[in-house]
Amino acid sequence: MAFSLFKLRICSKSAIMRCNLIVLLTLLFTSLLHAKDAGSQSLLEKKITLTVKNQLLKDALNKITEMDGVNIIFTGNSLFNTERVSIDVKSVSLKKVLNELLAPYPLTYKVVDDYVVIKRTAANPETNTPLNGFVDPRDTLKGRVTDPVGNALPGVSVTVIGKPFGAATNDVGAYSIPVSPDDSIRFSFVGYKTLVRSVRNKDELNVQMEADSTGLNDVVVTGYGQVQKSISVTGAISTVRTKELKQSPVANLSNALAGRLPGLTAIQSSGLPGSDAAAIYIRGVGTYGANKSPLIVIDGLPRGDANFGDIDVNEVASVSILKDAASTSLYGVQGANGVVLITTKRGKTSGKPNIEFNGQYSQQRPTRLPTYLDAYHTALLINEGRTNEGSSPIYTNQQLQIIQSKSDPYTYPDVDWYSVILKPSAPQQRYNINISGGNDIGTYFVSGSYLHQGSLLKAADNNKYGVSDKYDRYNLRSNINLNVSKMLSLRLDLATRLENRTGPGAGVDQGVAAYDWIFKMLSQYSRTTSPVYNPDGSYAFGTGMPPDWRNILAEIQSTGYYNNFWHSTNGTVEATHLLDVITPGLKIKGLVTFENYGTIDYAQSQHYDSYRYSKDPVTGTETYAQMTTANSLTKTYSTSGYRYYFYDVQLNYDRRFGRHNISGMFLGNRSYTSVYNDLPHVYQGLVGNASYNYDQRYYLQFNFGYNGSENFPPGKRYGFFPAVSAGWIISDEEFFKNNIRLMNFLKLRGSYGIVGNDQISTSRWLFLSNYSPITAANGYTFGNPGTNVAGYYESSVGNENVTWERAKKADIAIETGFFKNAVKLTVDYFHERRDNILTTPRTIPDYLGVSVIQPKNVGSVVNRGIEIDLNVNTHVGKVNLFGNINYSLAKNKILYADEPQLAYAYQYAKGRPIGDSLGYIADGIYRSQAEIDKGPKSTLTAKSLPGDIRYKDMNGDGVIDAKDRAMIANYNFPTQTFGGSIGFAVYNFDFSILFQGALGGVANYQGYLIPQYQYRPYQWNNRWTAQTAQTARYPSMHYNDWTNDNVNSTFWQYKTDYIKLRNFEVGYSLTGKLLQRVKIKKFRVFINAQNLVTWDKLPFNDVDPEINPSGNTAVPYPINKVYNAGVTVNL
Amino acid sequence: MENKTIIYLLAFCCIGAAASCKKDYLNKVASDNVQVEEVFSTITNAEKFVNNIYTSLPSWDYSNGNSYTISSGTDEGKQIWANGFQIFNTGSWNPSSFFPISIDWFNYYEGIRECNTFLKYYDLIPADPSHPAWKPRLKGEVFTLRAYFYSHLFKEWGTIPLLSTPVSPYGSESDLYYPRSSYEDVIKFVNSDLDSAAGALPFAYSDVTLLGRATKMVGLAIKSRMLLYYASPLFNPQNDPTRWQTAASVAKEALDDALANGYVLNSNYANVFLDYNNQEVIWNRPMGSGAIDQVMVSLGNGGWGNSGPIQEFVDAYEMAATGLPITNPASGFNPKRPYVGRDPRFYATVLYPLEWWTWRKIDAQGVDKPTAGQTASGYFWRKYMSVSTDLYYGRGYVPRKWVLFRTGELYLNYAEAQNEALGPDATVYSAVNAIRNRAGMPNLPAGLSQADMRSAIQHERRIEMAFESQRFWDVRRWKIAEVVDNGPVHSVLYSINATDTTYTYPVLQTRVFDASKHYFMPIPQSEMDKMAGKNPDFKQTTGW
């Protein structure tokens, strides 16, 4: 038996025949149940007992279904909802009952498999088609229907327009229908856009249905590859799809997420090619433990190499974040920080292959670069600092004049190192070609991508080694689905990623990464120290005070180069087998996946010749002192490697009993990661899910993960992480439907559950005591003569009670749709309490004698917030308008951190947000010596000067010392993030724009603002001087002793609130006959840009507010704006 | 066909499920982490664990790592550096700040934890059939070490928590919090440990490689000293005479056993501290060969001259010929030549102005004068100092051992306890005189009252065991610290003219001792804070 097939009579002139959802689902089960067809005809003989009095026809039919287990399918004919019937029979054959019930109406029935299908009696006299026969079956059209993800869509209604034939797809999405060569076929399914395709002499037609974006029936991918309609989702999940992701011309996918998803915080802190990923957090941070980051899951599975940002965007169908316990509990012990779930694309059963080409070219420009004072002003400030401290100026007036006139650039240089080293922009290119397609045997999606990111270093392409500094990435993916038999399907995915990073050899002798070293020097090298070149053209050399003792240009041009190669390959084989023989609706899946990844790092480095030039001011004699000497290249290299395996076996059950829908999943899994330098990491566990819904109105779901982590001691490794969730679609209730017009959808959902986080520490085996040997040389001495002996000591005391962090999460949400879903609003409130946070205990008595106290699971944090997601999708005339505003608030507070009784209450971490640290409360600056004499005495410096920061004497003892430090914010993490996008499409133009912002972050710019090497305009303009004593905002200049000001204090804190114009895009799609003639389906050109404008409240506009400056003097590789133009061609 | 596939699949599924049940999938496999089984599965490794416990024994430098010596915290000396024990001189110490003694709290408990860990896993250790005494010996050593650490804590804090197992810091809170046990309980605990050790240990080792390990003799010495403390006024305010009697009988037993096992007084007092091995020492801690010289030797010899004996201490030495204190006009003391004719132990203990040391004369007002801002007494250590050490050239270093117990102390323990228990009988005299005679001092005058004898013994203890980390605690247990460590202390200055040298004694420092709280150490404030609100049974030392 091939598949179920029956015909549907078109019941009205209206082109679309509406099936209700129950019918479709029933059809799905029809397919599932087809294996057992014996006795289908005897179905009509089944004895029925039925008593109905003046009820609607549909209720009478439903009653038969519910009471007697006969599945009756009836189409959305108005008769069912209007006609009332009465019947009272006992043990009468179904045939008789149906005859009696349907007789008064133009309705007839037919048995299909185990089902009775009721339809309208043939009413078209012209065709006069017998119900049970095919008319002129000259050709049979076959094909397969899939959803946007490539999964088979069973139960899709397939009709021939203008003909009374109908068919539905079977469980693998396949259909077969008799057609004439010039017929058109309509595919319709609730929640998907109706498709019409012409037959044109084909005998096979595969289609992929697109989700109807106005519907709430989008498919949502949840844990372990499960697919759910969003209407039925009872957890908190947000999804962004390819279209939006592709609007961001960023190299790293993570940077395309900011502002797109409510509940997600993305923080980019560097723009370094190949290392510019944003850190991702879900619902803020809920722990001060080691790992605050979400679990990364790709195609349903946790991966070893979780750099999801380096997957090419063209391979990605969607990125979802799972936020609450109901959606993450499947990942049990790893799910507490939320889950980022990436789903890759799959082929569609479109028949013809779809070939897509994407090409883009961009220029990347720093959003902001630090600005520094020129040498003359720097020298003035240096002198001022000296004078303030009571010592003699460094520069004489004559020297100042020379500096100002720049007349002696070799002795008194003024080098703007940023412009010497950096060029204004760096190129980026990316190309992708992908081919997808499929038929009822299978589908495929094959994609290849290349990305090139250039470096901002001027010398990047200009060095004697013939290498250019860059980041190259190659992504390959092949996702294949095969329908081996009607019972067995296979999935075979292979993906690989190759990355090459090339850069200068700088920093090798410092043990620092090249770019870190270069940018550290750049932001610390004073302008007055050294010229770039000496008069004779040799590299100049600095003064010998770090970090000024190198020549930055030479460090880039003449220190060699490095090549770092990253490789990552993964493959997955999954087999799904239907187990209808055991019970209908049951299937089993087995999956094996592996992943190999690692690095090959190779560098050639050398020193360069550099000289310190000096000229005798009297005699004019020039001397060149050689400071560094070139040597030949020296190689260094290292490799690392990882191998990850994961396998699971999964049982799925999905069945409808009348209006009761039951589904369940049970899965056992295991993973194993070999690590090149440590014991392998292993996990195993069981995962389960049970869902029930009644009439698709009331939803109830139970999920659990029962899994173990080797991080915990035997007997305490496994945890049970349950979550319950429920949903109620109020808008499907009669009282709602009949009374409320504007709002077409209203759903309440809520969840509560427990999830864990086993990545609580950077070290493993916390539960084991570790003993360290002491060599004889270092041991105790016994004997005569004295001889040292070896020893052992307990170097760490195992915490035999170590366990996972436990998050209890509650979520309650309301989902609405207005004006036929043109406007949708979802509001979530969440409350999370994280316990068992690994905390270095501060209340363990010393008399226990433990020298190294391992952390203990004692900390607690509460994290609460809301998420609002507003979507608009409508059209005004020919203009398609879409917009989204999302807002997230997440505030955390430490409830317990095992602190001892502190002498000063303001020093407790308890009650403060995560990330606070001890610092002084600034109370302005001392305007005069008189104020110093009056105020509390600072012990931070030997001598306070007017213009120094005044701190609050918290304990009132008249002295400013460590006891006056209070907990102050010191963690540049926003509590609120929001995104707003709007776009429209009209004719062939499309336009979209995205703003994104963050509020509530506070950062300490101490290292950046206190001049240690470079002086900044901000200091020049606002510093304390005798003249500006009353108005100055910034401390007076020091030269040697900044100790009073250079401490963590609120003085250097600034709010990092910002709004960024993250992204905009304009596209134009070519259409017309020309394209058709050259067989191009689609041709779109577009320009887009990223990070165009930043608005913030920082008083200096040369630092990106996303960068966390916390005490660093070094400013990292800048975040980039990207200007991009591209083309997409579909063949 | 179809069904077969399903059966295969089901079979696969079952295998998968069965495999999942394999509990040891998550078990850590052997690696370079050293686990407890590895340490205690062989007796050689277990011995290594014991070896390391010995590193918790005290030495000349406070807590074996800080260049401070406790002698400068009392009326023996003064440190020239303005840190370390200075706060004990000025009385400005408190629970938040009494470094370096504060670190004893943790250091000894750390040693105790190691002992407890060993005892917990003792049964894992396989015995060596060819050396049946080996395994019990280790246990005896550990019991002795634990007793020693507790006796130290007892001396400093009096009442202390007693832990007999390695308590996990990760258990429930109620398991972490202990009260401070009474003196009686501490004594009982330590005695019980020492009794457990006694059966497994010899009085002395014939195997020279074992020298330095705990012996039965060490146990007796610990007991003797501890019971003496327990009977002393600070611990025994009611003056319960039975405590003195017990102390006397244990001291007698210890002394008899010592003498019977070859622990006899060394004929040369100075060599007790210089000879790497000598028969008088019962227990010691090897202290390497250069560090003490570096810290103590005068500046002119390349050292730091950190702790100088004060004038009061120098003045305490009697005249050798008469056996009389220099304050007695009949003693024969000549203030013009104060360093002539003194108790011979003076010359083995103190380097005084214009004395020869190595190739040069000590010149406390010249090259040996410390840098500005530091004040020195004008005297230097001689005890323990090796004359061959040449700090300038880094040569001539000689390894030495810090004395923890020696037979000399047992004589004095016995004399003191017996005098308090029964009065100055002949055994008291003979014990004290044995010490005096060995040093070259005359006998005590006959007919001393019990009180006079008490003073004589206290004097003898001060002189005999100078710089041996005893005086600081002795003046506390005798409750005389409020006198001797309170008020001005002096240094020496001298001027030389053609015929004469004149000595003057300016005030070096005025010392402060608060009898209301300074006798016992406070619990470190950080420790109190940890237990605030959680362990009400754990109280701060009275007065603090």
Side-chain angles (χ1 to χ4, degrees), chain B residues 54 57 141 144-145 148 194 201-203 205 212-225 263 281-284 404-405 410:
Chain B
Y54 280 87
L57 291 176
E141 289 179 49
T144 310
L145 285 161
Y148 180 74
L194 293 174
L201 298 176
F203 277 107
Y205 292 106
R213 293 183 180 277
T215 59
K216 194 173 179 173
M217 196 59 241
V218 169
L220 283 165
I222 294 170
K223 225 187 233 186
S224 166
R225 188 190 290 174
Y263 297 100
V281 174
I282 293 169
W283 211 19
N284 50 33
L404 299 175
F405 289 103
L410 298 181

Tab-separated table of all heavy atoms in Angstrom, chain B residues 54 57 141 144-145 148 194 201-203 205 212-225 263 281-284 404-405 410:
chain	number	residue	atom	x	y	z
B	54	TYR	N	55.801	16.949	59.451
B	54	TYR	CA	56.876	17.520	60.272
B	54	TYR	C	57.192	18.960	59.894
B	54	TYR	O	57.738	19.702	60.687
B	54	TYR	CB	58.143	16.662	60.137
B	54	TYR	CG	58.106	15.412	60.999
B	54	TYR	CD1	57.540	14.233	60.555
B	54	TYR	CD2	58.669	15.424	62.287
B	54	TYR	CE1	57.519	13.091	61.334
B	54	TYR	CE2	58.650	14.281	63.074
B	54	TYR	CZ	58.069	13.117	62.599
B	54	TYR	OH	58.066	12.006	63.401
B	57	LEU	N	56.230	21.773	62.200
B	57	LEU	CA	56.902	22.030	63.485
B	57	LEU	C	57.509	23.427	63.457
B	57	LEU	O	57.971	23.897	62.424
B	57	LEU	CB	57.999	20.988	63.719
B	57	LEU	CG	57.515	19.559	63.974
B	57	LEU	CD1	58.712	18.620	64.097
B	57	LEU	CD2	56.665	19.499	65.244
B	141	GLU	N	54.103	8.279	65.352
B	141	GLU	CA	54.623	9.610	65.020
B	141	GLU	C	53.490	10.614	64.872
B	141	GLU	O	53.558	11.741	65.357
B	141	GLU	CB	55.424	9.549	63.705
B	141	GLU	CG	56.761	8.833	63.805
B	141	GLU	CD	57.478	8.800	62.452
B	141	GLU	OE1	57.575	9.866	61.823
B	141	GLU	OE2	57.906	7.712	62.041
B	144	THR	N	51.892	11.622	68.041
B	144	THR	CA	52.777	12.527	68.771
B	144	THR	C	52.744	13.930	68.171
B	144	THR	O	52.675	14.929	68.891
B	144	THR	CB	54.218	11.984	68.721
B	144	THR	OG1	54.188	10.608	69.101
B	144	THR	CG2	55.125	12.760	69.650
B	145	LEU	N	52.745	13.964	66.838
B	145	LEU	CA	52.709	15.277	66.183
B	145	LEU	C	51.414	16.006	66.534
B	145	LEU	O	51.409	17.190	66.849
B	145	LEU	CB	52.830	15.097	64.668
B	145	LEU	CG	54.243	14.753	64.173
B	145	LEU	CD1	54.185	14.131	62.776
B	145	LEU	CD2	55.118	16.008	64.143
B	148	TYR	N	51.532	17.334	69.902
B	148	TYR	CA	52.413	18.498	69.984
B	148	TYR	C	51.702	19.761	69.477
B	148	TYR	O	51.766	20.817	70.087
B	148	TYR	CB	53.689	18.246	69.171
B	148	TYR	CG	54.635	19.424	69.232
B	148	TYR	CD1	55.364	19.677	70.401
B	148	TYR	CD2	54.764	20.299	68.169
B	148	TYR	CE1	56.210	20.780	70.497
B	148	TYR	CE2	55.604	21.394	68.246
B	148	TYR	CZ	56.324	21.633	69.402
B	148	TYR	OH	57.149	22.718	69.498
B	194	LEU	N	49.147	10.756	73.253
B	194	LEU	CA	50.513	10.357	73.596
B	194	LEU	C	50.551	8.930	74.109
B	194	LEU	O	51.488	8.190	73.829
B	194	LEU	CB	51.090	11.331	74.618
B	194	LEU	CG	51.301	12.737	74.053
B	194	LEU	CD1	51.727	13.700	75.154
B	194	LEU	CD2	52.323	12.729	72.918
B	201	LEU	N	56.269	3.468	69.660
B	201	LEU	CA	57.521	4.171	69.399
B	201	LEU	C	58.603	3.783	70.403
B	201	LEU	O	58.318	3.530	71.568
B	201	LEU	CB	57.294	5.687	69.497
B	201	LEU	CG	56.308	6.296	68.492
B	201	LEU	CD1	56.113	7.776	68.771
B	201	LEU	CD2	56.793	6.082	67.064
B	202	PRO	N	59.856	3.760	69.946
B	202	PRO	CA	60.960	3.515	70.869
B	202	PRO	C	61.365	4.809	71.575
B	202	PRO	O	60.965	5.896	71.163
B	202	PRO	CB	62.074	3.052	69.934
B	202	PRO	CG	61.823	3.793	68.674
B	202	PRO	CD	60.324	3.953	68.563
B	203	PHE	N	62.150	4.693	72.615
B	203	PHE	CA	62.665	5.894	73.269
B	203	PHE	C	63.647	6.625	72.365
B	203	PHE	O	63.762	7.839	72.411
B	203	PHE	CB	63.358	5.527	74.589
B	203	PHE	CG	62.359	5.368	75.714
B	203	PHE	CD1	62.044	4.114	76.205
B	203	PHE	CD2	61.751	6.480	76.272
B	203	PHE	CE1	61.120	3.963	77.232
B	203	PHE	CE2	60.830	6.337	77.307
B	203	PHE	CZ	60.508	5.075	77.795
B	205	TYR	N	65.943	6.076	68.355
B	205	TYR	CA	66.141	5.261	67.164
B	205	TYR	C	67.598	4.847	67.054
B	205	TYR	O	68.503	5.673	67.211
B	205	TYR	CB	65.745	6.028	65.899
B	205	TYR	CG	64.258	6.292	65.827
B	205	TYR	CD1	63.752	7.558	66.068
B	205	TYR	CD2	63.368	5.255	65.531
B	205	TYR	CE1	62.387	7.796	66.000
B	205	TYR	CE2	62.006	5.478	65.475
B	205	TYR	CZ	61.521	6.750	65.707
B	205	TYR	OH	60.182	6.973	65.655
B	212	GLY	N	65.214	12.402	64.373
B	212	GLY	CA	64.365	13.560	64.101
B	212	GLY	C	62.897	13.200	64.112
B	212	GLY	O	62.047	14.059	64.234
B	213	ARG	N	62.620	11.897	63.980
B	213	ARG	CA	61.220	11.477	64.050
B	213	ARG	C	60.789	11.397	65.507
B	213	ARG	O	61.603	11.304	66.424
B	213	ARG	CB	61.050	10.111	63.393
B	213	ARG	CG	61.286	10.159	61.890
B	213	ARG	CD	61.044	8.815	61.237
B	213	ARG	NE	61.289	8.901	59.804
B	213	ARG	CZ	60.399	9.349	58.921
B	213	ARG	NH1	59.197	9.721	59.337
B	213	ARG	NH2	60.699	9.426	57.651
B	214	ALA	N	59.479	11.452	65.678
B	214	ALA	CA	58.941	11.429	67.036
B	214	ALA	C	59.261	10.105	67.712
B	214	ALA	O	59.266	9.053	67.079
B	214	ALA	CB	57.437	11.634	66.995
B	215	THR	N	59.563	10.195	69.008
B	215	THR	CA	59.848	9.001	69.810
B	215	THR	C	58.946	9.018	71.030
B	215	THR	O	58.240	9.988	71.287
B	215	THR	CB	61.302	9.017	70.290
B	215	THR	OG1	61.486	10.208	71.057
B	215	THR	CG2	62.296	9.011	69.130
B	216	LYS	N	59.027	7.951	71.742
B	216	LYS	CA	58.312	7.869	73.016
B	216	LYS	C	58.810	8.962	73.953
B	216	LYS	O	58.065	9.550	74.730
B	216	LYS	CB	58.578	6.483	73.629
B	216	LYS	CG	57.690	6.107	74.747
B	216	LYS	CD	57.988	4.645	75.109
B	216	LYS	CE	57.134	4.176	76.259
B	216	LYS	NZ	57.314	2.726	76.488
B	217	MET	N	60.112	9.254	73.844
B	217	MET	CA	60.720	10.284	74.685
B	217	MET	C	60.124	11.663	74.380
B	217	MET	O	59.855	12.468	75.280
B	217	MET	CB	62.237	10.290	74.430
B	217	MET	CG	63.034	11.014	75.486
B	217	MET	SD	62.774	10.262	77.118
B	217	MET	CE	62.073	11.640	77.990
B	218	VAL	N	59.883	11.895	73.086
B	218	VAL	CA	59.268	13.161	72.682
B	218	VAL	C	57.906	13.287	73.348
B	218	VAL	O	57.540	14.336	73.895
B	218	VAL	CB	59.149	13.250	71.148
B	218	VAL	CG1	58.271	14.430	70.745
B	218	VAL	CG2	60.520	13.353	70.502
B	219	GLY	N	57.151	12.182	73.300
B	219	GLY	CA	55.816	12.200	73.905
B	219	GLY	C	55.871	12.575	75.372
B	219	GLY	O	55.069	13.376	75.861
B	220	LEU	N	56.832	11.985	76.072
B	220	LEU	CA	56.943	12.286	77.505
B	220	LEU	C	57.312	13.751	77.729
B	220	LEU	O	56.827	14.399	78.658
B	220	LEU	CB	57.996	11.366	78.140
B	220	LEU	CG	57.510	9.937	78.394
B	220	LEU	CD1	58.687	9.006	78.662
B	220	LEU	CD2	56.531	9.916	79.569
B	221	ALA	N	58.168	14.259	76.847
B	221	ALA	CA	58.581	15.653	76.991
B	221	ALA	C	57.396	16.597	76.760
B	221	ALA	O	57.224	17.598	77.461
B	221	ALA	CB	59.710	15.960	76.008
B	222	ILE	N	56.578	16.248	75.747
B	222	ILE	CA	55.390	17.077	75.490
B	222	ILE	C	54.499	17.084	76.723
B	222	ILE	O	54.032	18.121	77.188
B	222	ILE	CB	54.600	16.524	74.286
B	222	ILE	CG1	55.413	16.652	73.000
B	222	ILE	CG2	53.258	17.233	74.144
B	222	ILE	CD1	54.811	15.919	71.803
B	223	LYS	N	54.290	15.870	77.246
B	223	LYS	CA	53.416	15.716	78.409
B	223	LYS	C	53.947	16.530	79.580
B	223	LYS	O	53.204	17.242	80.258
B	223	LYS	CB	53.377	14.232	78.780
B	223	LYS	CG	51.998	13.706	79.083
B	223	LYS	CD	52.093	12.280	79.607
B	223	LYS	CE	51.205	11.347	78.824
B	223	LYS	NZ	51.147	9.994	79.378
B	224	SER	N	55.223	16.424	79.776
B	224	SER	CA	55.833	17.112	80.920
B	224	SER	C	55.639	18.615	80.809
B	224	SER	O	55.211	19.282	81.744
B	224	SER	CB	57.322	16.773	80.958
B	224	SER	OG	57.993	17.655	81.825
B	225	ARG	N	55.908	19.156	79.628
B	225	ARG	CA	55.788	20.609	79.478
B	225	ARG	C	54.324	21.042	79.595
B	225	ARG	O	54.002	22.033	80.233
B	225	ARG	CB	56.358	21.051	78.130
B	225	ARG	CG	56.433	22.568	78.019
B	225	ARG	CD	56.772	23.033	76.612
B	225	ARG	NE	58.134	22.724	76.233
B	225	ARG	CZ	58.623	22.934	74.995
B	225	ARG	NH1	57.839	23.430	74.052
B	225	ARG	NH2	59.873	22.623	74.715
B	263	TYR	N	69.683	10.281	76.914
B	263	TYR	CA	69.476	11.719	76.735
B	263	TYR	C	70.032	12.426	77.969
B	263	TYR	O	69.315	12.687	78.931
B	263	TYR	CB	67.997	12.044	76.565
B	263	TYR	CG	67.358	11.429	75.338
B	263	TYR	CD1	66.593	10.268	75.438
B	263	TYR	CD2	67.503	12.015	74.084
B	263	TYR	CE1	65.991	9.706	74.327
B	263	TYR	CE2	66.905	11.456	72.965
B	263	TYR	CZ	66.151	10.300	73.085
B	263	TYR	OH	65.564	9.745	71.981
B	281	VAL	N	69.606	16.511	73.075
B	281	VAL	CA	68.397	16.950	72.370
B	281	VAL	C	67.421	15.785	72.204
B	281	VAL	O	67.770	14.719	71.704
B	281	VAL	CB	68.775	17.545	71.015
B	281	VAL	CG1	67.515	17.877	70.222
B	281	VAL	CG2	69.598	18.798	71.227
B	282	ILE	N	66.180	16.013	72.624
B	282	ILE	CA	65.133	14.998	72.523
B	282	ILE	C	64.383	15.124	71.198
B	282	ILE	O	64.021	14.151	70.554
B	282	ILE	CB	64.163	15.125	73.718
B	282	ILE	CG1	64.903	14.753	75.013
B	282	ILE	CG2	62.935	14.248	73.533
B	282	ILE	CD1	64.140	15.086	76.274
B	283	TRP	N	64.127	16.363	70.794
B	283	TRP	CA	63.440	16.574	69.521
B	283	TRP	C	63.917	17.894	68.945
B	283	TRP	O	64.173	18.851	69.705
B	283	TRP	CB	61.923	16.629	69.716
B	283	TRP	CG	61.125	16.122	68.534
B	283	TRP	CD1	61.577	15.336	67.531
B	283	TRP	CD2	59.746	16.384	68.257
B	283	TRP	NE1	60.566	15.063	66.637
B	283	TRP	CE2	59.420	15.691	67.069
B	283	TRP	CE3	58.733	17.103	68.896
B	283	TRP	CZ2	58.136	15.715	66.505
B	283	TRP	CZ3	57.464	17.125	68.344
B	283	TRP	CH2	57.161	16.435	67.140
B	284	ASN	N	64.036	17.930	67.659
B	284	ASN	CA	64.516	19.160	67.049
B	284	ASN	C	63.938	19.303	65.661
B	284	ASN	O	63.306	18.399	65.126
B	284	ASN	CB	66.043	19.152	66.979
B	284	ASN	CG	66.549	17.869	66.359
B	284	ASN	OD1	65.886	17.308	65.475
B	284	ASN	ND2	67.684	17.376	66.805
B	404	LEU	N	63.599	21.585	70.047
B	404	LEU	CA	62.209	21.645	70.508
B	404	LEU	C	62.095	21.142	71.945
B	404	LEU	O	61.383	21.704	72.753
B	404	LEU	CB	61.311	20.814	69.586
B	404	LEU	CG	61.271	21.260	68.124
B	404	LEU	CD1	60.430	20.283	67.291
B	404	LEU	CD2	60.699	22.663	67.991
B	405	PHE	N	62.830	20.060	72.231
B	405	PHE	CA	62.880	19.519	73.594
B	405	PHE	C	64.285	19.045	73.862
B	405	PHE	O	64.924	18.465	72.982
B	405	PHE	CB	61.928	18.312	73.755
B	405	PHE	CG	60.474	18.676	73.734
B	405	PHE	CD1	59.709	18.454	72.606
B	405	PHE	CD2	59.870	19.247	74.859
B	405	PHE	CE1	58.374	18.791	72.577
B	405	PHE	CE2	58.528	19.589	74.836
B	405	PHE	CZ	57.770	19.363	73.700
B	410	LEU	N	63.808	19.143	81.012
B	410	LEU	CA	63.142	18.175	81.893
B	410	LEU	C	63.584	18.365	83.347
B	410	LEU	O	62.777	18.266	84.268
B	410	LEU	CB	63.433	16.749	81.423
B	410	LEU	CG	62.919	16.404	80.016
B	410	LEU	CD1	63.241	14.951	79.667
B	410	LEU	CD2	61.416	16.631	79.903
